[in-house]
Amino acid sequence: MKKDEAASRKVATDTTLVTAGRDPHDHFGFVNPPVFHGSTVLFPDTRTLLARDQKYTYARRGTPTSSALEAAVTELEGGYATRILPSGLAAITTAIMAIVKAGDHILMTDAVYLPGRKLCDTLLKQFGVETSYYDPELGAGIADLMQPNTVLVYAESPGSMTMHMQDMPAIVEAAHAHGALVAFDNTWATALYFKPLSFGIDISIQAGTKYLGGHSDIMLGAVTVNEPVWDRLNNAYERLGMCSGPDDHFLALRGLRTLSVRLERHYQSALEIARWLGQRPEIKTVLHPALPDHPGHDIWKRDFSGASGLFSVVFADASETQIMAFLDALTLFGMGASWGGYESLALPFNPSKQRSVTTWDEPVSGVRFHIGLEDVGDLKRDLDQAFSAMRAAG
Ligand SMILES: *Cc1c(COP(=O)(O)O)cnc(C)c1O
């Protein structure tokens, strides 16, 4: 089926994942778009050169491979257009810099991905942009924090590490009433389980490094916007020279084709492990929005259609040494920052020094899990023996 036929038939997301961003008959019938390596793009004559009258003019501005990925992500997000950036952080940086100028104010969620906070507190501050942080659970109360110069609300839900959920419809309404735009980091849910633009959010950001790639082998980011924001986003993209490599675009497109089947498995396995951990005496709290006792569960149920493989836990009565013994005993869980690949991960975190308005009231670190595509029984057995090692370390 041709891409435009698929779009006009309003097919389901699983079908979009298969059809988006490719038209085999544009390239000799081969199923996948080819990888265009290049820098120079030649013009056939001076008229075309002077008018820049052809689709591609310089590889930094886009190639058929980046266009294919951008088209696919745009279709998935239901947006006007997408720019692909060299990392998730580059996506955050480009999206914010597209909107703000000196003297402006950003309201950023306190449970933001930490490098986003660092961007605001250092580089953007240096350029005269002020940022303050809001309690991710304040909902419509965000209206009270709006300043005359607030131009952007930057949200992420669930929040990094602590998994705070945000009432996005209420936040969008308050921001728009004030004339501010809303950006949203959707890396956790992907457009499969939460569609930011359909909630009135203006800028949808994702670290393609995570689930889009899905195999822990690329760094990419994506920003998808509606038409009114497109010129500003594209300007920031072009001015900053934020291009990325065609092999990574190809791998992201390949990852995208299986996003739905992978996510479904991450979702179910993570939920099963989260429930199982909730029964363990060693665990005080499981921070997973799909669990009914999570404070943001109602929001998750109302706005999201699934959950990914990432959640956190708080230990019941363990020393820092015991938590480290637990982590060191795990054999199927790698320890590392980036998640969204096929493999399971466990990472200690302690946000107590990284928050402005929320608190981490635990005496010790929490642990964030990413549940991969391994057999759930094997993962439970691995966790079980690590709990034994933890008790032995006490
Ligand atoms: C990993 C991550 C990013 C940054 O992605 P990189 O590709 O590593 O720069 C941004 N937001 C969230 C929520 C992430 O987890």
Side-chain angles (χ1 to χ4, degrees), residues 31-350:
V31 169
N32 291 297
V35 180
F36 281 82
H37 274 280
S39 52
T40 313
V41 181
L42 302 177
F43 298 83
D45 48 51
T46 48
R47 190 207 63 79
T48 316
L49 170 77
L50 295 174
R52 295 285 186 276
D53 186 20
Q54 62 184 27
K55 183 158 184 201
Y56 299 100
T57 54
Y58 189 45
R60 192 181 62 217
R61 310 182 68 203
T63 68
T65 320
S66 66
S67 297
L69 179 57
E70 286 170 349
V73 173
T74 300
E75 204 172 326
L76 203 56
E77 295 268 344
Y80 174 72
T82 297
R83 272 307 191 186
I84 298 297
L85 298 308
S87 69
L89 181 57
I92 296 170
T93 306
T94 307
I96 296 179
M97 289 187 78
I99 303 304
V100 298
K101 63 179 188 318
D104 283 345
H105 172 245
I106 301 169
L107 266 173
M108 185 172 252
T109 171
D110 202 32
V112 72
Y113 174 68
L114 186 61
R117 174 186 291 264
K118 290 183 175 167
L119 164 73
C120 291
D121 291 349
T122 62
L123 200 57
L124 291 182
K125 194 172 167 201
Q126 185 182 315
F127 287 116
V129 176
E130 182 203 354
T131 304
S132 55
Y133 296 90
Y134 68 88
D135 179 342
E137 290 173 342
L138 95 180
I142 199 162
D144 300 333
L145 303 180
M146 295 283 171
Q147 302 178 10
N149 59 342
T150 306
V151 296
L152 181 68
V153 173
Y154 185 98
E156 177 186 336
S157 179
S160 274
M161 304 297 181
T162 47
M163 312 299 287
H164 288 94
M165 294 297 293
Q166 299 193 32
D167 185 347
M168 288 316 297
I171 288 173
V172 167
E173 196 185 327
H176 286 175
H178 187 81
L181 295 173
V182 181
F184 186 89
D185 185 331
N186 197 32
T187 302
W188 183 84
T190 83
L192 260 54
Y193 292 158
F194 181 72
K195 285 227 179 333
L197 301 182
S198 76
F199 282 80
I201 290 163
D202 304 282
I203 302 168
S204 174
I205 296 167
Q206 62 180 312
T209 306
K210 308 287 170 52
Y211 285 123
L212 206 53
H215 295 72
S216 304
D217 52 8
I218 56 167
M219 302 289 303
L220 276 185
V223 183
T224 306
V225 293
N226 279 326
E227 194 169 2
V229 185
W230 169 245
D231 283 345
R232 283 194 273 174
L233 173 69
N234 194 41
N235 183 58
Y237 171 86
E238 296 228 347
R239 302 292 79 77
L240 292 167
M242 282 281 186
C243 58
S244 41
D247 289 320
D248 289 347
H249 303 151
F250 179 84
L251 288 171
L253 273 167
R254 173 191 275 223
L256 180 139
R257 306 298 174 202
T258 58
L259 185 59
S260 174
V261 285
R262 284 186 287 111
L263 268 189
E264 176 63 23
R265 178 71 177 273
H266 285 294
Y267 176 15
Q268 296 309 332
S269 297
L271 197 53
E272 189 177 336
I273 302 259
R275 287 196 183 112
W276 180 82
L277 285 169
Q279 305 296 314
R280 296 286 309 202
E282 298 89 348
I283 300 297
K284 182 162 93 181
T285 319
V286 180
L287 304 170
H288 189 311
L291 295 183
D293 62 354
H294 188 277
H297 179 68
D298 289 345
I299 291 176
W300 175 80
K301 225 165 110 177
R302 184 191 65 193
D303 298 344
F304 288 61
S305 57
S308 63
L310 195 78
F311 65 93
S312 299
V313 299
V314 179
F315 283 82
D317 187 22
S319 65
E320 207 71 39
T321 311
Q322 281 181 300
I323 294 173
M324 300 311 142
F326 168 82
L327 289 166
D328 286 336
L330 291 168
T331 62
L332 292 176
F333 291 78
M335 242 191 301
S338 193
W339 46 273
Y342 50 80
E343 83 287 13
S344 288
L345 301 169
L347 192 75
F349 68 92
N350 194 327

